[in-house]
Amino acid sequence: MKHSYKTEGTVLLVENVSVTIGNKTIIENINMEEHNTLRDGHAQGQMIAVVGRSGRGKSTLFKTITGLRKPSTGRILIPSNEINKPIEVQEGTVGFVDQKYTLFRHLTIYNQLKLAARKGGIPDGEIHGRVMDLLNKWGLEKAKDQYPCHCSGGQRQRAAIMSQLLSSGYFLVLDEPFSGLDVGNVEDVKSMLRLVNTSHELSTIIFSTHDIELAVELADKIYVLGFASPSKQVGTVVASFDLKALGLAWQPYSQSHTELAKDIKTAILGS
Amino acid sequence: MASMKKLVTPFEVLKAPHNLALVAFWLVAVIGYWYLSTTGQKHLLPSPQSVLRGLGEEYQEGLVPHIFSSLSLCGQATFWALLVSLPLAYLSTLPLFMPVIQGISKFRYLPLTGITFYLATSPLISSGRAMQVGVLVIFMSVYFVTSLLSVIADIPQEEFDHARSLKMSRWEVLWHVIVRGRIDYAIDILRQNLAIVWMMLVTVESIVMSAGGLGTIIKNADRYANHGRIFAAQLVILLIGILLDYLLSELRYSFPYVNRGSKN
Ligand SMILES: Nc1ncnc2c1ncn2[C@@H]1O[C@H](COP(=O)(O)OP(=O)(O)O)[C@@H](O)[C@H]1O
Ligand SMILES: [Mg+2]
């Protein structure tokens, strides 16, 4: 059964973005427009996957979307507190979890989260409660006084995601969150992302992955980043797939998903 | 037999008690060789007996106060050198100061002796001690700054990005990622550079002898060509140096996020 949905308002607008480092253009001509998805009876956020071969500029695009790198041309707009007044993204307005789940090495998990909450503008009186809440919900209460170097990769990743949720709210960009995880951890991260995604109407998650089946299973929109042509090694969007319109979003994995994955792989291999 | 074979197998790891026994074996072997090789008439090294005798004489002549004099010089110089070089290294992240600080780092190619002679005859510096501190601070600082710059350069970009993604101001990034986040590295730099500094300290003390210290002891022993005493003083300096090294490495490992035997 195809779920019905509506879209309303833009949650992300990437307009003609390019990034040139030194004299090498890494990505160019990137355009993305994502709308707030509305489903009756669901708090439904957006889940966007970016796929493509290595070196096509996924990480560079993510740093630009999170304001950590200024685009050389174009702009990136996200909604602000005022309706119909989008703002240009700045560092910190969008959460970013890099591939190595970097944390502060000199702080315990609890203190990392406290610091993140303070930077996120949560009132001092509420910080402890909010942090403990998250720690309990994500099964990290036992590790709360450990330093990152004594945590497992999975624990560090969860702590990194929680930090960003506390400081930046519910717009989250994750660079290859599934790479290097064992089967159990992959399931954990999947359910974590779904939890974040359904916890808030405006929640928007963008992630990159090399696991195309996983992208098709989780995302409601998929962008393929690749080189425009073999002679021009600059990353750009070579294809995009709207799983909502295709009736594949929020569905159990089916034959149609498998076929879509095949199409996406073809698009990747050609770019 | 199998365990004997392990001793000469590359990358083989021994059990802790076996390691201890091995250290004891080498210690006995070295001292034994020392003893045997110094029984004849002509020998390169002074005999253990003459070193012990030298040590006794030096003790009588105030070895302990000299040790504390050297330690105090080392402490003062370290204090001032850290006070100068830590802020300098941290400020190197400001474009304004970068050229200055890289310039300072180049001064490590300056010869120690020239500076010492210059400061010794400078009318601005009155006491021998002030001059010694001055020379050491200059040299410690250039080495500290150099090593700290390379620590900062080695910090992965992700750590800066993580701090920035939490809406931290540039100054907060500097504080959390470099100052607090690398304090154990700063201690380790201090430890590594202490070897050079400890050697310089003895040299400086023996050039300007008025202020005492272990360098004075060596210089005095040298004056009478007493090999036993020179050797004894050297051993004392070596052992104190190793002790300082150990203390600093313990200080570094006292940070709960620093793992022994691994860099992270
Ligand atoms: N800071 C940088 N300086 C120079 N080149 C860079 C920099 N960051 C990335 N690149 C280059 O940009 C290209 C895309 O890199 P990246 O964004 O990491 O791609 P992906 O994440 O898709 O593997 C690569 O060729 C990489 O070498
Ligand atoms: Mg990447």
Side-chain angles (χ1 to χ4, degrees):
Chain A
M1 187 201 87
K2 187 169 163 174
H3 293 293
S4 70
Y5 70 97
K6 285 187 299 187
T7 58
E8 175 199 86
T10 303
V11 291
L12 172 70
L13 183 66
V14 177
E15 217 175 58
N16 192 30
V17 162
S18 73
V19 172
T20 302
I21 302 177
N23 50 22
K24 187 181 177 220
T25 301
I26 314 267
I27 48 176
E28 71 179 6
N29 228 335
I30 307 259
N31 290 288
M32 301 164 91
E33 181 164 7
E34 292 305 319
H35 302 280
N36 180 18
T37 312
L38 296 175
R39 282 173 71 195
D40 279 340
H42 289 270
Q44 180 64 58
Q46 294 62 238
M47 184 90 85
I48 302 151
V50 176
V51 299
R53 300 188 60 185
S54 289
R56 265 51 173 183
K58 298 183 295 296
S59 299
T60 305
L61 174 64
F62 281 5
K63 280 195 181 182
T64 317
I65 291 180
T66 51
L68 294 171
R69 184 181 276 292
K70 284 254 165 313
S72 309
T73 66
R75 54 182 193 160
I76 292 153
L77 297 176
I78 54 171
S80 71
N81 292 331
E82 283 174 74
I83 301 165
N84 290 331
K85 271 242 171 103
I87 49 165
E88 275 201 56
V89 79
Q90 283 178 336
E91 30 181 83
T93 38
V94 171
F96 181 53
V97 178
D98 68 67
Q99 221 172 324
K100 295 196 267 174
Y101 336 129
T102 308
L103 292 162
F104 293 113
R105 60 192 288 277
H106 62 284
L107 294 178
T108 61
I109 299 299
Y110 175 77
N111 284 330
Q112 315 251 3
L113 299 183
K114 230 171 89 169
L115 180 62
R118 199 172 315 128
K119 298 311 296 178
I122 296 173
D124 276 352
E126 293 172 25
I127 288 179
H128 177 75
R130 287 280 293 274
V131 168
M132 290 312 293
D133 240 28
L134 266 182
L135 283 168
N136 286 323
K137 194 152 95 189
W138 296 47
L140 266 187
E141 66 278 25
K142 285 219 183 67
K144 83 187 221 304
D145 294 320
Q146 285 175 5
Y147 289 88
C149 64
H150 299 133
C151 291
S152 70
Q155 290 174 322
R156 284 210 311 276
Q157 185 177 29
R158 263 173 284 163
I161 295 175
M162 284 152 69
S163 284
Q164 298 299 331
L165 290 179
L166 285 166
S167 77
S168 309
Y170 287 85
F171 200 137
L172 196 55
V173 175
L174 304 108
D175 200 359
E176 298 197 21
F178 299 103
S179 73
L181 298 186
D182 70 36
V183 184
N185 282 336
V186 168
E187 288 307 314
D188 286 349
V189 178
K190 261 161 56 176
S191 46
M192 252 157 36
L193 295 189
R194 285 198 175 112
L195 186 69
V196 175
N197 204 224
T198 50
S199 62
H200 196 287
E201 185 58 46
L202 284 174
S203 161
T204 302
I205 294 177
I206 307 182
F207 67 96
S208 62
T209 181
H210 291 294
D211 186 333
I212 309 308
E213 282 77 19
L214 194 62
V216 170
E217 182 187 344
L218 274 181
D220 49 69
K221 180 81 176 264
I222 297 178
Y223 287 93
V224 179
L225 230 55
F227 293 148
S229 74
S231 60
K232 195 171 173 212
Q233 309 247 309
V234 178
T236 193
V237 176
V238 292
S240 67
F241 301 85
D242 188 342
L243 283 81
K244 301 183 290 292
L246 293 169
L248 297 177
W250 320 299
Q251 300 275 8
Y253 204 81
S254 67
Q255 184 59 34
S256 318
H257 288 87
T258 313
E259 274 156 28
L260 177 62
K262 221 179 278 169
D263 290 349
I264 294 175
K265 281 180 193 167
T266 311
I268 292 174
L269 285 172
S271 60
Chain B
M1 206 49 224
S3 62
M4 282 298 169
K5 191 159 175 235
K6 272 191 175 180
L7 288 177
V8 290
T9 308
F11 313 118
E12 197 58 52
V13 180
L14 300 184
K15 290 187 190 125
H18 292 179
N19 267 327
L20 216 61
L22 206 56
V23 171
F25 163 79
W26 278 111
L27 214 59
V28 170
V30 168
I31 294 174
Y33 174 75
W34 181 17
Y35 190 81
L36 288 178
S37 69
T38 53
T39 44
Q41 271 301 320
K42 274 193 177 168
H43 37 77
L44 187 63
L45 299 176
S47 67
Q49 300 95 310
S50 70
V51 170
L52 269 182
R53 203 173 328 115
L55 190 64
E57 287 165 18
E58 282 166 358
Y59 181 78
Q60 299 285 319
E61 290 162 21
L63 177 64
V64 177
H66 279 302
I67 289 177
F68 279 104
S69 165
S70 286
L71 284 177
S72 138
L73 173 58
C74 186
Q76 286 179 46
T78 307
F79 173 79
W80 290 110
L82 285 179
L83 206 67
V84 172
S85 49
L86 284 176
L88 275 180
Y90 298 148
L91 286 179
S92 72
T93 53
L94 278 56
L96 175 63
F97 293 118
M98 193 59 187
V100 182
I101 287 148
Q102 280 181 336
I104 289 175
S105 155
K106 293 285 179 290
F107 279 134
R108 63 192 190 281
Y109 292 106
L110 214 58
L112 169 72
T113 350
I115 294 242
T116 316
F117 287 145
Y118 175 73
L119 285 183
T121 52
S122 162
L124 283 179
I125 293 174
S126 47
S127 78
R129 180 39 64 103
M131 185 240 112
Q132 292 177 335
V133 173
V135 172
L136 285 176
V137 167
I138 292 176
F139 278 90
M140 287 174 97
S141 303
V142 296
Y143 282 104
F144 282 170
V145 168
T146 308
S147 309
L148 283 164
L149 286 182
S150 95
V151 163
I152 293 173
D154 283 344
I155 298 176
Q157 184 61 36
E158 285 88 354
E159 293 196 32
F160 295 105
D161 285 345
H162 173 245
R164 288 167 64 208
S165 75
L166 294 180
K167 301 191 172 96
M168 287 190 166
S169 75
R170 296 294 172 92
W171 289 100
E172 286 175 303
V173 175
L174 173 63
W175 170 251
H176 276 289
V177 177
I178 299 186
V179 181
R180 283 198 58 194
R182 287 296 184 279
I183 190 132
D184 54 313
Y185 282 73
I187 293 171
D188 202 46
I189 286 171
L190 179 60
R191 185 184 68 78
Q192 285 172 14
N193 286 332
L194 203 71
I196 310 169
V197 168
W198 192 235
M199 182 198 75
M200 277 186 203
L201 177 125
V202 174
T203 313
V204 168
E205 279 178 343
S206 56
I207 296 177
V208 186
M209 293 193 21
S210 59
L214 292 163
T216 322
I217 298 230
I218 292 206
K219 194 81 178 184
N220 279 334
D222 186 38
R223 193 168 293 160
Y224 307 111
N226 186 329
H227 288 180
R229 291 181 65 154
I230 296 180
F231 215 76
Q234 295 275 52
L235 275 184
V236 170
I237 292 168
L238 174 68
L239 290 178
I240 295 175
I242 291 175
L243 178 72
L244 289 177
D245 186 275
Y246 171 78
L247 290 178
L248 282 173
S249 104
E250 285 305 303
L251 177 63
R252 170 166 177 249
Y253 289 128
S254 71
F255 290 90
Y257 51 88
V258 180
N259 288 330
R260 271 176 206 273
S262 79
K263 286 221 151 194
N264 64 38

